[in-house]
Amino acid sequence: MSTKGNWSPPAVSGRLFTFGLVASWYSSNIGVLLLNKYLLSNYGFKYPIFLTMCHMAACSLLSYVAIAWLRVVPMQTVRSRLQFLKIATLSLVFCGSVVSGNVSLKYLPVSFNQAVGATTPFFTAVFAYLMTVKREAWITYITLIPVVTGVIIASGGEPSFHLFGFIMCVGATAARALKSVLQGILLSSEGEKLNSMNLLLYMAPTAVVLLLPATLIMEENVVGITMALAREDFKIIWYLLFNSTLAYFVNLTNFLVTKHTSALTLQVLGNAKGAVAVVVSILIFKNPVTVTGMLGYTVTVIGVILYSEAKKRSK
């Protein structure tokens, strides 16, 4: 009597592998977000540019180890100076997104940060409309109304609202969307396309070079201050090392989950991840939330789901 295909050992082990990947993806994403918040807000480490540079340094080192030594993916080479300049442009926008996001965490609770971050599809649609000839079906643009409306509602009901933090968070979200649109434009030819792991291999060290002068100018003597902090509490070094390693695993697990699941599954998981991050952050940091704030976030998430569905149907 044959075993049903759905319950064969390879299928079960495949499910367990996928579940482990998704759990790792969630853990690394939510973990780095919460640890960033703890360091920049609760712990009092007020150096978001240096923190981002630590992330990029770890991503540079671990990307090289993963690709050159462990051969997680085949290494792709940069073939021209023009291609490198395109990658450097993406790296600059990427830096702006990550630094702005980290700055916003100094002033905003994670729950509200995630609500604003959920509006990425709105900015992606706007930049795609302005920078390419690509036009979506009208119903797709209609679904963006609840995405933006939800954030407006959430802003009005956020007890810890901070204008500068909000501007930084919107900037980070817009920059994240701009990077995805630019990537589609700049690295569109077959000879220039890089998978996300190889792109990170080249973007991360470029980001370190870009962030180093910004850190030295805007966060003066940050290394000396960090060393002084370490003499009082050595845990800060472990926090920075663990946080930076997690930042790399966010990228690695995102690549692996994308590779091993369908586009629809990825959309559903992505939408759920933001909600899980909100719940976990409220439980840990105990920041006050209101019914209005949660209603706004819910409206935004519903808008994102409708947007994803409209885009899928218009293809």
Side-chain angles (χ1 to χ4, degrees):
M1 188 171 158
S2 63
T3 306
K4 287 186 180 178
N6 286 344
W7 293 100
S8 63
V12 172
S13 62
R15 285 198 191 92
L16 288 173
F17 176 72
T18 304
F19 178 80
L21 275 183
V22 172
S24 301
W25 184 44
Y26 269 45
S27 301
S28 57
N29 269 268
I30 296 170
V32 79
L33 182 68
L34 298 180
L35 196 47
N36 283 349
K37 174 63 180 175
Y38 174 75
L39 284 170
L40 294 166
S41 186
N42 298 60
Y43 189 88
F45 187 79
K46 303 184 184 302
Y47 305 101
I49 303 175
F50 179 72
L51 181 62
T52 306
M53 193 176 76
C54 290
H55 289 181
M56 293 301 109
C59 286
S60 302
L61 175 63
L62 294 173
S63 289
Y64 185 80
V65 170
I67 295 173
W69 293 356
L70 301 180
R71 304 189 186 279
V72 173
V73 292
M75 182 176 282
Q76 297 171 284
T77 56
V78 174
R79 300 184 179 186
S80 66
R81 182 180 294 180
L82 178 61
Q83 187 184 10
F84 175 75
L85 288 173
K86 290 176 178 180
I87 292 169
T89 302
L90 289 175
S91 187
L92 180 63
V93 177
F94 183 52
C95 285
S97 170
V98 179
V99 170
S100 299
N102 285 339
V103 170
S104 75
L105 286 171
K106 284 177 66 176
Y107 304 99
L108 298 176
V110 172
S111 52
F112 187 55
N113 177 281
Q114 288 295 286
V116 177
T119 62
T120 302
F122 168 77
F123 290 103
T124 304
V126 169
F127 286 127
Y129 185 88
L130 294 174
M131 299 171 68
T132 71
V133 293
K134 186 180 178 184
R135 301 290 180 267
E136 303 287 353
W138 65 270
I139 191 68
T140 305
Y141 293 114
I142 293 294
T143 60
L144 292 171
I145 294 173
V147 172
V148 178
T149 303
V151 169
I152 294 170
I153 294 169
S155 301
E158 176 53 56
S160 308
F161 183 84
H162 189 285
L163 182 59
F164 180 70
F166 176 71
I167 292 169
M168 286 291 101
C169 196
V170 171
T173 306
R176 191 160 56 244
L178 177 60
K179 177 189 165 285
S180 70
V181 175
L182 274 177
Q183 189 172 324
I185 296 170
L186 296 179
L187 302 178
S188 57
S189 68
E190 283 303 316
E192 291 185 334
K193 279 184 181 175
L194 299 172
N195 62 49
S196 61
M197 296 307 297
N198 274 278
L199 185 59
L200 183 68
L201 174 67
Y202 296 113
M203 273 177 40
T206 309
V208 173
V209 172
L210 293 169
L211 289 167
L212 182 59
T215 302
L216 294 174
I217 294 167
M218 300 174 72
E219 297 177 342
E220 194 175 347
N221 196 32
V222 63
V223 175
I225 292 167
T226 304
M227 290 299 102
L229 273 173
R231 282 192 287 272
E232 294 176 19
D233 181 11
F234 194 76
K235 283 188 294 186
I236 183 64
I237 301 297
W238 294 116
Y239 285 147
L240 289 173
L241 286 172
F242 181 61
N243 193 23
S244 300
T245 305
L246 265 186
Y248 170 72
F249 277 98
V250 167
N251 292 281
L252 176 63
T253 54
N254 186 68
F255 170 77
L256 292 173
V257 169
T258 304
K259 184 179 176 182
H260 291 280
T261 63
S262 67
L264 178 61
T265 304
L266 195 66
Q267 282 178 3
V268 173
L269 291 172
N271 292 330
K273 178 166 60 66
V276 172
V278 167
V279 172
V280 173
S281 71
I282 291 169
L283 291 173
I284 291 175
F285 296 111
K286 304 191 185 320
N287 56 283
V289 291
T290 63
V291 174
T292 307
M294 293 311 294
L295 174 64
Y297 180 65
T298 303
V299 170
T300 294
V301 171
I302 290 170
V304 170
I305 293 168
L306 292 174
Y307 172 79
S308 301
E309 187 63 25
K311 279 207 61 159
K312 187 176 71 175
R313 295 193 175 197
S314 67
K315 285 180 181 177

